[in-house]
């Protein structure tokens, strides 16, 4: 009878294990957000960099009017960062960070309409000082993919 109880307990454990895996998976976290204006372009452009604790999958989109750009970082917590950033009104009115259903959203209100091909989302190389980062910026010279796998540190 004791061996049947052990088998039932082991079977119950195996049945319940998949239910606990999503809880066990640790999400990435945004540690900081920085932005700067680059005046060497005509027009100038803004770059936004975020430090992240681990690799994330980033997806980018822009609305039909070309004025609202969004990056979704899947399975990423917002961390202890501000939710709104006022930027240079020549290129970006403001950016907001928000968290919904375990994902973090970077929404950027562009001053002038842009095409998705004019906006680049890419991963910075991890290094000991900067940890991990995601940088986005608007320029017509960069036409890379807008989906990026951000490397872990």
């Amino acid at each position: 009878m004791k061996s049947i109880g052990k088998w039932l307990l082991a079977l119950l454990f195996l049945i319940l294990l998949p239910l606990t895996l999503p809880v066990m998976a640790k999400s990435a976290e945004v540690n900081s957000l920085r932005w700067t204006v680059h005046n060497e372009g005509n027009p100038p452009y803004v770059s936004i960099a975020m430090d992240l604790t681990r690799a994330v999958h980033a997806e980018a989109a822009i609305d039909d009017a070309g004025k609202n750009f969004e990056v979704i970082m899947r399975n990423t917590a917002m961390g202890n960062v501000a939710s709104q950033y006022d930027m240079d009104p020549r290129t970006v009115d403001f950016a907001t960070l928000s968290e919904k259903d375990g994902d973090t959203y970077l929404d950027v209100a562009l001053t002038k309409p842009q095409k998705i091909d004019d906006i680049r989302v890419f991963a910075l190389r991890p290094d000991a000082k900067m940890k991990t980062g995601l940088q986005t910026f608007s320029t017509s010279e960069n036409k890379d993919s807008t989906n990026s796998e951000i490397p872990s540190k």
Side-chain angles (χ1 to χ4, degrees):
M1 192 67 167
K2 288 183 181 180
S3 66
I4 292 175
K6 288 180 183 178
W7 279 104
L8 286 176
L9 185 61
L11 182 61
L12 181 64
F13 175 76
L14 289 175
I15 291 171
L16 294 177
L17 181 64
L19 299 176
T20 63
L21 289 178
V23 174
M24 294 170 66
K26 188 175 178 184
S27 65
E29 187 173 289
V30 178
N31 286 335
S32 68
L33 183 143
R34 300 176 302 288
W35 66 275
T36 189
V37 177
H38 298 273
N39 290 311
E40 64 270 11
N42 189 16
Y45 62 92
V46 170
S47 65
I48 301 169
M50 287 182 274
D51 291 330
L52 304 162
T53 58
R54 64 175 6 139
V56 301
H57 178 75
E59 300 170 13
I62 196 163
D63 69 353
D64 290 337
K67 292 193 75 173
N68 295 301
F69 173 66
E70 180 176 70
V71 176
I72 304 170
M73 291 161 284
R74 300 291 181 195
N75 195 29
T76 304
M78 214 170 108
N80 191 18
V81 294
S83 60
Q84 182 154 342
Y85 298 83
D86 293 322
M87 298 188 179
D88 189 316
R90 294 178 295 169
T91 55
V92 174
D93 288 327
F94 62 90
T96 60
L97 273 177
S98 60
E99 189 176 338
K100 181 180 176 186
D101 298 330
D103 300 331
T104 294
Y105 293 76
L106 170 66
D107 292 296
V108 180
L110 302 169
T111 305
K112 296 179 182 171
Q114 300 288 324
K115 297 176 191 167
I116 193 69
D117 290 342
D118 295 337
I119 299 173
R120 186 173 173 198
V121 176
F122 62 93
L124 298 173
R125 286 190 184 138
D127 74 29
K129 292 180 184 173
M130 284 199 45
K131 306 281 186 214
T132 309
L134 163 75
Q135 182 172 349
T136 65
F137 65 86
S138 173
T139 175
S140 60
E141 296 172 12
N142 297 298
K143 300 188 184 287
D144 288 355
S145 169
T146 55
N147 288 322
S148 297
E149 191 72 25
I150 309 303
S152 60
K153 54 181 171 176

